[in-house]
Amino acid sequence: MLQIAVTGKPNVGKSSFFNSATSSTVEMANYPFTTIDANKAVAYVIKDCPCKELGVTCNPRNSLCIDGKRLLPIELIDVAGLVPGAHEGKGLGNKFLDDLMQAKVFIHVIDASGSTDIEGQPVDPGSHDPLEDIVFLEEEIVMWMYGILSRNWVRLIRKVGAEHLDISKVLFDQLSGTGITIEDIIEAKRSIEPDYNKWEEEDLIELTRNILKIAKPMMIVANKADLPTSEENIKRIKEKYPNVIPASAESEIALVRANEAGLISYLPGDDHFEILKEDELSPNQLKALEYIQTNILDKYGSTGIQDALNYGIFTLLENIVVYPVQDEHKYTDQKGNVLPDGILLKKGSNPRQLAYQVHSDIGDKFMHAVDARSNMRVASDYELKDGDIISIITRQ
């Protein structure tokens, strides 16, 4: 299951983001280091399901389908808050960074309202610049990984020269356990001095930044977007950084809970909700819902929570969703389930890779594939498209 890490300094709403995205009940409190151990739970990314287009009723097995929207599971990791000096072990730094490296994408939750200082302590709204938080967190992660890369560097370089080793392979071995591939390292090396014997500290730090951008892309979730001091900060952040999503985790939690109680109808990511039982809502609850609609949904198009998850998986990681079936005419598996599985695959994947994703035996016995929409055979190197329905033909 693909993993996304929720990161940031303490007391910015990381656990609220986690709760709103997973409907979990992680402890939330207004003091630093509320989260001590990494919490993990299932969240969902959402795509249009082909069922409406095809006029069929699907029977999902590995996912959910709600009114033509396919919800595909991913794993969300909520790690301990990070403070300046974490790469040197301050706060819960080393533990935080170890947990962080499990994920493929980082969601950096910041307090867009500027109401928490650099260490996560409450201050007057607008008195702290959230841009400082972005700089310090990126620097902490870079310096932590640089510490791993530079460990025993002189000895490693001697070994590379004496044994005629591939420097990329040596760097890959140094970063084992971080989920970084040798391909990531090779690509990251292209923009720095090619002769590794001439590398100085600055070259290694630049290499580290490049590796992280490629292997662990980060987005910024500007939380507390509904507060008055947030709007100007969000504008400044967007001018300086890509991948910025305004959000209100507290608003999402309120909408999800109201939906679960049957008081409203709401699907995460929507820009509106429908009140179902107005007579069961108090004046304060109605006022709160009106506030969310006006200050979050109308203003930003959503609460930002689902947008962040979808952006991480579909944009930063460039994943698509493909539906493997056995019967290309009925869109079913061998048990008659219609569109049973939605599989997340890297853009550019082919049917053989899909077969291996379904099961290693199916991959080993792969012969060819059929596009269920056209009932045409496709080549094994055919580039799968988002929403494809594919029947995999195997040897008996």
Side-chain angles (χ1 to χ4, degrees), residues 146 243 382:
Y146 163 75
N243 312 324
Y382 163 76

Side-chain angles (χ1 to χ4, degrees), residues 355-356 358-366 394-395:
Y356 274 109
V358 174
H359 198 282
S360 59
D361 288 346
I362 294 176
D364 290 340
K365 296 177 181 179
F366 176 86
T394 60
R395 297 187 301 274

Side-chain angles (χ1 to χ4, degrees), residues 33-156:
F33 302 124
T34 304
T35 303
I36 296 175
D37 296 314
N39 298 294
K40 298 181 181 180
V42 173
Y44 294 92
V45 290
I46 300 178
K47 277 277 190 176
D48 288 335
C49 181
C51 64
K52 278 197 168 183
E53 167 206 340
L54 300 172
V56 298
T57 301
C58 58
N59 311 104
R61 296 188 314 166
N62 76 335
S63 48
L64 304 170
C65 185
I66 301 175
D67 193 26
K69 300 289 184 180
R70 185 63 71 110
L71 281 65
L72 302 122
I74 59 170
E75 186 171 56
L76 211 58
I77 307 171
D78 174 29
V79 295
L82 187 65
V83 296
H87 73 279
E88 299 170 339
K90 292 182 181 178
L92 300 170
N94 289 329
K95 177 174 177 52
F96 164 93
L97 292 158
D98 287 341
D99 291 333
L100 192 63
M101 282 300 125
Q102 298 176 50
K104 282 292 198 181
V105 175
F106 299 157
I107 290 178
H108 181 189
V109 180
I110 64 168
D111 177 356
S113 71
S115 56
T116 44
D117 68 16
I118 197 73
E119 294 191 347
Q121 299 288 351
V123 294
D124 292 336
S127 62
H128 177 72
D129 187 352
L131 281 166
E132 294 180 17
D133 303 334
I134 300 170
V135 173
F136 108 75
L137 185 133
E138 290 183 347
E139 195 64 19
E140 290 295 337
I141 296 173
V142 167
M143 293 310 295
W144 178 77
M145 184 172 284
Y146 163 75
I148 297 174
L149 274 182
S150 62
R151 198 173 296 152
N152 305 314
W153 183 248
V154 174
R155 180 182 62 79
L156 284 172

Side-chain angles (χ1 to χ4, degrees), residues 20 46 66-67 71 248-249 251-276 289 292-293 296-297 301-307:
S20 63
I46 300 178
I66 301 175
D67 193 26
L71 281 65
S248 172
S251 296
E252 179 72 5
I253 289 173
L255 294 177
V256 168
R257 289 178 178 169
N259 181 75
E260 289 174 347
L263 299 171
I264 67 171
S265 174
Y266 171 72
L267 183 66
D270 281 355
D271 62 358
H272 66 282
F273 54 85
E274 180 185 356
I275 295 178
L276 302 177
L289 289 172
I292 292 171
Q293 183 66 59
I296 292 295
L297 301 184
S302 77
T303 66
I305 307 305
Q306 191 62 51
D307 289 351

